[in-house]
Amino acid sequence: MRRKRVAVLISGRGSNMAALIEAAKNKEYPAEIALVISNRPDAGGLPVAHSAGIATEIVDHTKFGKERAGFERAVQALLEKYRIDLVCLAGFMRQLTADFLEKWQLRMLNIHPALLPAFKGLDTHKRVLEARAKIHGATVHFVVPEIDSGPIIIQGAIAVRPNDSQEMLAIRVLKVEHRIYPLALKLVAEGRVRVENGRCLIDGVPVPDDTKESVGEQ
Ligand code: GRF
């Protein structure tokens, strides 16, 4: 099967992007990272992608003022130019419009540092601690216009320890992210994920026998 061509959209350091690049180095992996786009010229992930030999492009949102459609047209033009099949948002800090997302329905993934639908939005580690939650984690989901709300592909969990700080949680959750994002992209690229009534089925079932794959258990 032809490997799917993937674009990763970033705004920052790009450690999830790096995890996807690493996974895709394996020729057996069903996707190749064909392009990295950043909306910020100074994103730390850009030199990382460049030194891995991956095409990088900058679409600086500040150049488009408040006009989201113009920014999205520029992104879309690049996705078409590079013949992209799937898009992975990885720390990409721009909200995308419903018009744009329609073109990428079930072909755009995002990683969120919490167990959705709990703790949508920013500062998840801080809010998890404030809520005295016992379990925390990360979620890979398909992107829909409502933020952090699309069908859940994979989740991975960690226990919150009594003396955890935000930073400590961030480190452990990030490890989970780096494990489940390549796994989720693999499943999607292999065409093994289908959405039924808002729920992702993997190989036709909510949780396949191999629970390691479906829930990202360690
Ligand atoms: C990650 O925690 C991701 O879940 C969130 O933003 C952070 C990006 O980190 N959406 P990185 O740029 O991938 O290192």
Side-chain angles (χ1 to χ4, degrees):
M1 201 168 38
R2 180 181 74 80
R3 300 174 91 197
K4 294 281 188 285
R5 292 174 61 79
V6 173
V8 185
L9 270 54
I10 63 168
S11 302
R13 73 190 155 176
S15 72
N16 278 290
M17 171 208 77
L20 295 171
I21 291 174
E22 194 53 41
K25 276 187 188 160
N26 183 344
K27 292 277 169 279
E28 306 284 294
Y29 193 78
E32 60 177 303
I33 311 304
L35 173 65
V36 169
I37 301 178
S38 173
N39 66 308
R40 297 184 54 123
D42 60 350
L46 284 172
V48 177
H50 183 72
S51 54
I54 290 163
T56 58
E57 300 274 1
I58 296 163
V59 185
D60 183 348
H61 66 277
T62 61
K63 302 258 159 70
F64 297 87
K66 283 202 170 28
E67 212 237 317
R68 278 185 196 273
F71 170 74
E72 290 177 345
R73 264 197 304 278
V75 172
Q76 178 64 24
L78 286 171
L79 298 175
E80 284 171 17
K81 176 177 166 199
Y82 286 84
R83 305 185 319 280
I84 296 302
D85 302 303
L86 297 170
V87 176
C88 289
L89 307 183
F92 181 67
M93 300 305 282
R94 301 298 297 168
Q95 213 178 319
L96 297 163
T97 66
D99 277 350
F100 177 78
L101 291 175
E102 204 183 331
K103 300 190 196 64
W104 291 94
Q105 227 178 17
L106 301 185
R107 293 196 296 143
M108 183 178 283
L109 287 63
N110 181 45
I111 181 125
H112 180 72
L115 291 173
L116 293 173
F119 304 106
K120 296 177 180 181
L122 298 174
D123 294 327
T124 56
H125 309 309
K126 178 166 180 275
R127 289 189 290 129
V128 160
L129 288 175
E130 283 167 359
R132 310 288 190 257
K134 313 253 186 219
I135 303 281
H136 185 27
T139 304
V140 183
H141 62 93
F142 285 117
V143 179
V144 297
E146 197 189 332
I147 221 143
D148 299 331
S149 297
I152 292 168
I153 304 167
I154 289 196
Q155 298 186 295
I158 60 156
V160 181
R161 296 174 187 153
N163 297 319
D164 266 335
S165 62
Q166 285 182 52
E167 293 72 25
M168 287 153 77
L169 281 182
I171 290 169
R172 296 212 304 291
V173 169
L174 200 60
K175 266 197 191 162
V176 173
E177 294 184 37
H178 296 166
R179 188 162 45 79
I180 66 173
Y181 211 172
L183 186 52
L185 175 60
K186 173 177 182 283
L187 294 170
V188 172
E190 288 172 341
R192 293 166 62 190
V193 182
R194 191 175 83 232
V195 178
E196 222 178 74
N197 293 328
R199 175 159 73 172
C200 284
L201 302 181
I202 299 171
D203 299 331
V205 289
V207 181
D209 283 348
D210 184 355
T211 50
K212 279 201 164 106
E213 258 202 359
S214 60
V215 300
E217 260 173 28
Q218 269 174 325

